[in-house]
Amino acid sequence: QVQLVESGGGSVQAGGSLRLSCVASGDMDRAYCMGWFRQAAGKEREAVAAYAGGSTYYHNSVQGRFIISRDNTKNTVYLQMNSLKQEDTAMYYCAASSPPCGYADAGRYTFWGRGTQVTVSS
């Protein structure tokens, strides 16, 4: 089992920045693949970014603004979010799985955190 706890969400004005953190615990062999997903009110969940062994994935809408990184010494995955837009407002979830990595495919992830809310105002 893997437990995931997200933090770092909050309210920010458009153009601002936030850094989300996801701390993993448990069987880290099952957390090789890590991803961030988000779900806005009334919309479907979508993949934001993913990280696996140094390879990354980004949704087109966040490319160039968000950066995903991982610190294995802290069992933590980060999502640095810059130049935030109102459309980035959503609940952000961290997800993990063992390989093969699904990157943007939510169905390939086994473990999920409870989420952290990000609200971007104009």
Side-chain angles (χ1 to χ4, degrees):
Q1 292 293 319
V2 175
Q3 294 76 44
L4 304 172
V5 179
E6 304 97 333
S7 63
S11 297
V12 64
Q13 287 191 322
S17 299
L18 284 173
R19 188 177 78 158
L20 305 184
S21 300
C22 172
V23 179
S25 60
D27 185 355
M28 297 308 299
D29 286 340
R30 303 183 71 181
Y32 179 82
C33 315
M34 299 292 294
W36 284 98
F37 292 77
R38 67 186 180 189
Q39 187 165 19
K43 295 187 178 181
E44 294 186 354
R45 180 176 52 187
E46 65 179 6
V48 176
Y51 183 101
S55 296
T56 58
Y57 157 87
Y58 293 98
H59 190 277
N60 286 342
S61 67
V62 307
Q63 185 77 42
R65 299 189 297 123
F66 291 11
I67 300 172
I68 188 171
S69 62
R70 179 169 186 160
D71 185 341
N72 288 327
T73 65
K74 298 181 179 179
N75 291 338
T76 301
V77 172
Y78 302 98
L79 185 67
Q80 177 67 43
M81 306 187 296
N82 301 319
S83 302
L84 282 162
K85 304 175 181 180
Q86 282 187 275
E87 51 263 45
D88 295 319
T89 294
M91 183 70 80
Y92 284 71
Y93 298 91
C94 178
S97 75
S98 51
C101 299
Y103 291 95
D105 184 355
R108 297 284 292 275
Y109 289 86
T110 309
F111 306 101
W112 291 81
R114 294 189 174 185
T116 184
Q117 177 68 37
V118 172
T119 302
V120 184
S121 59
S122 60

